[in-house]
């Protein structure tokens, strides 16, 4: 019996009140999503942003949609143009929008209308330290996170940095939605193990959809 012939059925489960893992939910759309990633990257290439402290982030980023999240030595913020090119961020691909809106609804957040999508690309060893997403002015809308490519461990904590964390194994096609009482919970990604994914190669790509305003 091989994993290819008998793929594990990905399960959905509630992580916390307001937060849900939709296991394998984006799998059937993965090719369209990857094509969308390639189109975005063709006009806003991957780059390693700097933290406010001046360190280069281990993951590479880009954005699409009206607003894009940036980090540099001036801090974190959303901008309507790519600082590398001075041009507007690429339009959000239709497949991105459809999936994000449907996943939010499935998780109990109907009417989600994201105005920003951050693309994160993790090479093996890249990680994202514990943080909470608090640069958005809209506290009512959830965060929708879509995982493609290599698996990784997502760490999901509480409202305070010191709160206990759950470790959630995320695979290609998994979607996590958090909002409501968990909207500002701490979360992060452990160093991504090496591997090869048939569609994405030697990377994990994550899309996070946000509503800034
Ligand atoms: C994020 O917190 O922005 C991304 C999380 C992830 O890569 O799964
Ligand atoms: Fe985040």
């Amino acid at each position: 019996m091989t994993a290819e012939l008998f793929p594990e059925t990905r399960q959905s489960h509630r992580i916390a009140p307001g937060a849900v893992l939709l296991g394998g939910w984006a799998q059937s759309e993965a090719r369209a999503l990857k094509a969308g990633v390639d189109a975005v990257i063709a006009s806003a290439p991957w780059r390693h942003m700097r933290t406010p402290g001046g360190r280069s982030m281990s993951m590479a980023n880009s954005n699409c949609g009206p607003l894009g999240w940036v980090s540099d030595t001036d801090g974190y913020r959303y901008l309507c143009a790519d600082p590398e090119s001075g041009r507007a961020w690429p339009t959000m691909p239709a497949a991105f929008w459809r999936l994000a809106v449907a996943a939010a609804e499935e998780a109990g957040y109907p009417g989600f209308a994201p105005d920003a999508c951050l693309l994160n690309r993790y090479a093996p060893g890249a990680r994202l330290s514990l943080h909470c997403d608090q640069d958005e002015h809209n506290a009512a809308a959830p965060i929708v996170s879509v995982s493609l490519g290599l698996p990784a461990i997502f760490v999901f904590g509480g409202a305070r940095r010191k709160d206990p964390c759950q470790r959630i194994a995320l695979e290609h096609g998994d979607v996590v939605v958090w909002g409501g009482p968990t909207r500002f919970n701490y979360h992060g990604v452990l160093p991504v193990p090496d591997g090869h994914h048939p569609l994405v190669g030697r990377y994990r790509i994550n899309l996070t959809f946000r509503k800034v305003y």
Side-chain angles (χ1 to χ4, degrees), residues 59 69 118 120 122 128-134 136 143 145 154 178 183 185-189 206 208 210:
M59 62 176 182
W69 183 86
L118 173 66
N120 296 333
Y122 302 75
L128 179 57
S129 55
L130 207 61
H131 68 281
C132 56
D133 297 355
Q134 56 185 5
E136 301 75 25
I143 302 284
S145 157
F154 182 59
W178 65 95
R183 173 60 183 77
N185 280 26
Y186 279 85
H187 57 276
V189 178
N206 177 265
T208 45
R210 299 111 185 276

Side-chain angles (χ1 to χ4, degrees), residues 34-104:
K34 175 59 167 54
V37 169
D38 294 343
V40 168
I41 295 309
S43 46
W46 296 115
R47 76 288 309 269
H48 289 269
M49 296 182 187
R50 291 201 174 270
T51 65
R55 283 183 303 125
S56 174
M57 294 190 185
S58 62
M59 62 176 182
N61 297 106
S62 186
N63 289 282
C64 64
L67 292 164
W69 183 86
V70 300
S71 175
D72 59 22
T73 48
D74 292 334
Y76 308 127
R77 63 206 176 279
Y78 282 92
L79 297 176
C80 52
D82 180 350
E84 301 281 317
S85 66
R87 294 195 310 262
W89 297 105
T91 307
M92 206 181 286
F96 282 27
W97 172 271
R98 271 199 311 270
L99 186 102
V101 171

Side-chain angles (χ1 to χ4, degrees), residues 2 5 10 27 41 53 62 70 80 92 100 104 113-114 121 148 155 162 175 177 184 195 197 203:
T2 71
L5 285 173
R10 301 288 299 146
Q27 234 171 62
I41 295 309
S62 186
V70 300
C80 52
M92 206 181 286
R121 186 188 68 178
L148 298 171
V155 176
K162 61 173 194 260
V175 180
V177 182
F184 297 103
H197 187 275
Y203 293 109

